[in-house]
Amino acid sequence: MANIANKQMICEVLMEAAKTDKDIVVLCSDSRGSASATPFFNAFPEQAVEVGIAEQDLVGIAAGMARVGKRTFPMSPACFITARSYEQCKVDVAYSHTNVKLIGISGGVSYGALGMSHHSAQDIACMSSIPGMRVYLPSDCYQTKKLMEVLVKDNEPAYIRVGRNAVDPVYSEDDTPFEMDKATFVCRGKDVAIIACGEMVLYAKKAADLLKDKGISATVVDMYCVKPIDKAAVIEAASNAKVVISVEEHSPYGGLGSMVSQIVAENCPKKCVTMALPDAPVITGNSKEVFKHYGLTAEGIAKKAEELLHG
Amino acid sequence: MKNLKQLAYKLRQDVVDMIVNGKGGHIGGDMSVMDVLVTLYFKEMNISVDNFNTKDHDHFIMSKGHSVESLYAVLAEKGFFSREQVLKEFSQFGSLFIGHPNNKLPGIEMNSGALGHGLPVAVGMAIAERMNKSHNRVYVVMGDGELAEGSVWEGAMAGANYRLDNLCAVVDRNRLQISGTTEDVMALDDLIAKWSAFGWHVINVADGNDIDQLQKAFDEARVVKGKPTVLIANTIKGKGSSVMENKAAWHHHVPNAEEYEQIKQDLLKGAEEN
């Protein structure tokens, strides 16, 4: 299987499931192209709904359909489906407990130079703070496949954030360890625990390789399940390390770093550093340029680990 | 029909008692919308305790969720829970009978309270029921002040786009909202022209507190094909007592002892006259 964008993998899983489950419905807000959902709309027109550029309507309609027995998957840019539709996510989906899987595509700074209006650096914070809302940031297409194969069958609300482009895989077609709502230990070490989510997991894994060459051993935890966060995995990783680093494509406030810090402070207090986007509009550039500028790279993470360990 | 008119007055008294016991509630809108709810639940809609947990029933969304007391009174009368229970527990500590609809209670499908949500949700239900090839219809009641929410018009566009003739909306057009008249706060007229321009079949119900007129309008909505229908129900806020009628201050207000007695007498008189 060729390496594909996570959003494309979501569409493939939905198309496979829709063959037998006629209650699966994909909804878009003039976003089928950017969501890689055009093949679904073409193959299953009777299970697809277009709402136009109206994200509140998108989520409200998805919730109403779910209430009548559909399994709905509204797909729209992460910045809009979480911020413009926030109240619908809160009231119509989570509070009303409707079976809606909110798919946020081109999340984080995927849209690069399009600017802050199109970046979603607040979505983990806002969605995680809604009671009953699960939040997932898969790291590569193989993990996305495993995650979606569970989500197309369950009946609870969730928000899934994926990026715009294909990313190098963390796992492989034949070897993708996955247990629902349990973090994946990518590697285990004793000096530093690096806990990451989404596209940052690959950089954390590469950072561990760089650190190994310098005699530093790292644990890398893929916390794709940001909520419900795998608390036991955080405690295990942190307890066995001297310092903890969290890495995310998100604001430094209210995201993975905040949650990891809470758990570490309460259970196994030690130095805990959040690596994230700044609390400011990010510098103009494509996502790789933005990541590099803010040190959200293998080199940046490794450097931070060295600083923390050796001062 | 005579009995339903009397029932609407009786249920208004339940609402007043609920609000006095609970020390709060949106009494004015409860009174204006009561005849719409009684017509829907006792004449128009196929919803009952027996069919509510099956796939075979109509759907109702109380988008103006703050008028939940009127919905509670009607649902109790329908047998979803006891009248005594809701009168005793409304707004009390730990109660499920909170100040906006929540679907942990029997008889309620969707949580509401944040205005402007009901119509898109109802559109979703109507699309899904058509996909299911079901004959179930979908009803949603909105306040008129609520129409200032942009999401209402997103839903209006989608309802017409998908030609949802299984969808019927009602606007409780009592012309008052918490800060004053709707036309002073954010002008809504010409509502008939607005909904028509959005592609809806519009029925102007001259007296939205008249159950006969309401039922005639719902009958018309049933036979309209290829588009959704909206009833502009011209109602009186605080309907049923001169103490409350057409007074914005009664958007939410708890009657004092003197007011309570006057309202009670007015509602009894209203029931006798109908």
Side-chain angles (χ1 to χ4, degrees), chain A residues 25-303:
Chain A
V25 176
V26 172
L27 302 94
C28 283
S29 52
D30 198 23
S31 51
R32 74 182 77 172
S34 46
S36 301
T38 304
F40 188 100
F41 272 67
N42 291 339
F44 301 95
E46 73 287 2
Q47 288 172 258
V49 176
E50 175 61 66
V51 308
I53 306 168
E55 291 82 10
Q56 296 179 76
D57 214 20
L58 175 78
V59 177
I61 288 174
M65 295 187 79
R67 178 67 211 187
V68 184
K70 301 298 180 189
R71 298 175 180 279
T72 56
F73 295 80
M75 300 181 77
S76 185
C79 52
F80 306 134
I81 201 169
T82 59
R84 178 68 71 96
S85 320
Y86 188 54
E87 198 176 73
Q88 279 76 14
C89 297
K90 179 181 113 179
V91 177
D92 304 345
V93 178
Y95 188 32
S96 293
H97 197 247
T98 50
N99 186 6
V100 180
K101 307 298 192 298
L102 302 146
I103 312 287
I105 52 141
S106 303
V109 294
S110 289
Y111 281 126
L114 294 186
M116 185 165 151
S117 63
H118 280 60
H119 296 158
S120 60
Q122 303 77 30
D123 53 346
I124 298 177
C126 69
M127 298 306 275
S128 295
S129 57
I130 298 176
M133 182 67 76
R134 298 174 294 168
V135 177
Y136 299 105
L137 279 80
S139 55
D140 73 0
C141 66
Y142 303 113
Q143 190 186 57
T144 299
K145 183 170 191 285
K146 298 259 186 180
L147 172 67
M148 289 306 298
E149 284 171 349
V150 175
L151 293 178
V152 292
K153 290 181 182 151
D154 78 23
N155 298 313
E156 305 294 316
Y159 168 62
I160 304 96
R161 187 237 266 192
V162 290
R164 185 184 196 188
N165 300 314
V167 289
D168 290 340
V170 176
Y171 309 105
S172 65
E173 189 167 3
D174 302 327
D175 185 16
T176 304
F178 183 83
E179 189 180 348
M180 191 61 176
D181 294 335
K182 299 286 180 199
T184 301
F185 280 78
V186 177
C187 59
R188 292 173 193 269
K190 57 183 175 43
D191 296 317
V192 56
I194 308 170
I195 302 173
C197 61
E199 294 181 18
M200 293 297 121
V201 175
L202 179 68
Y203 300 136
K205 184 186 178 190
K206 287 182 174 174
D209 293 338
L210 295 176
L211 289 167
K212 196 174 176 185
D213 294 341
K214 297 186 175 182
I216 296 171
S217 73
T219 294
V220 172
V221 178
D222 180 345
M223 192 61 74
Y224 75 89
C225 47
V226 174
K227 188 188 172 193
I229 196 165
D230 186 347
K231 193 174 165 184
V234 174
I235 295 170
E236 182 187 336
S239 299
N240 294 326
K242 299 184 184 85
V243 294
V244 180
I245 298 173
S246 63
V247 197
E248 64 195 304
E249 188 182 350
H250 188 266
S251 155
Y253 303 127
L256 179 67
S258 298
M259 297 185 207
V260 166
S261 300
Q262 264 184 351
I263 294 167
V264 172
E266 191 174 330
N267 296 280
C268 45
K270 65 185 58 180
K271 183 86 172 177
C272 205
V273 172
T274 297
M275 294 185 75
L277 296 167
D279 178 30
V282 305
I283 195 163
T284 303
N286 65 39
S287 56
K288 283 194 174 167
E289 290 169 334
V290 171
F291 293 154
K292 191 175 178 191
H293 182 77
Y294 296 112
L296 298 172
T297 57
E299 294 75 17
I301 297 166
K303 188 177 164 208

Side-chain angles (χ1 to χ4, degrees), chain B residues 50-262:
Chain B
D50 291 337
N51 69 17
F52 189 73
N53 290 319
T54 72
K55 287 185 174 177
D56 179 29
H57 64 83
D58 292 335
H59 304 283
F60 177 75
I61 309 286
M62 188 71 166
S63 194
K64 51 171 288 188
H66 53 282
S67 293
V68 71
E69 300 88 5
S70 54
L71 181 62
Y72 287 156
V74 167
L75 290 177
E77 185 69 21
K78 287 287 285 187
F80 282 100
F81 36 77
S82 83
R83 175 176 170 272
E84 291 68 30
Q85 187 189 8
V86 66
L87 287 178
K88 185 179 161 199
E89 295 182 10
F90 173 66
S91 282
Q92 303 300 320
F93 178 73
S95 173
L96 277 178
F97 295 98
I98 62 176
H100 292 98
N102 80 93
N103 60 9
K104 284 197 171 67
L105 282 170
I108 294 175
E109 290 204 74
M110 290 293 291
N111 298 13
S112 56
L115 295 172
H117 286 230
L119 187 57
V121 169
V123 165
M125 288 177 154
I127 293 173
E129 286 293 26
R130 191 165 65 190
M131 282 180 176
N132 292 341
K133 298 184 170 43
S134 153
H135 295 295
N136 297 333
R137 290 176 63 76
V138 182
Y139 297 86
V140 54
V141 171
M142 293 174 280
D144 51 1
E146 178 180 0
L147 301 188
E149 294 280 7
S151 52
V152 170
W153 302 99
E154 291 184 11
M157 259 192 277
N161 181 73
Y162 284 101
R163 303 174 186 278
L164 299 174
D165 49 24
N166 56 347
L167 171 62
C168 181
V170 180
V171 175
D172 181 16
R173 184 73 172 115
N174 60 35
R175 293 188 170 268
L176 285 175
Q177 56 191 107
I178 194 165
S179 305
T181 73
T182 56
E183 301 316 289
D184 284 342
V185 176
M186 180 51 66
L188 294 171
D189 281 334
D190 179 347
L191 271 187
I192 295 171
K194 283 191 170 87
W195 284 96
S196 297
F198 271 75
W200 286 57
H201 178 70
V202 187
I203 303 173
N204 188 47
V205 183
D207 182 353
N209 293 116
D210 182 321
I211 288 173
D212 296 319
Q213 290 186 31
L214 287 165
Q215 186 54 55
K216 198 175 157 210
F218 285 124
D219 288 344
E220 182 180 330
R222 274 183 181 271
V223 296
V224 171
K225 297 299 170 201
K227 55 168 72 173
T229 294
V230 58
L231 274 58
I232 311 294
N234 293 284
T235 60
I236 293 172
K237 196 152 187 171
K239 171 74 179 177
S241 170
S242 57
V243 177
M244 306 182 278
E245 284 186 1
N246 284 322
K247 290 174 183 165
W250 282 76
H251 179 81
H252 59 70
H253 179 81
V254 181
N256 61 31
E258 193 183 335
E259 290 164 341
Y260 179 85
E261 281 309 315
Q262 183 62 49

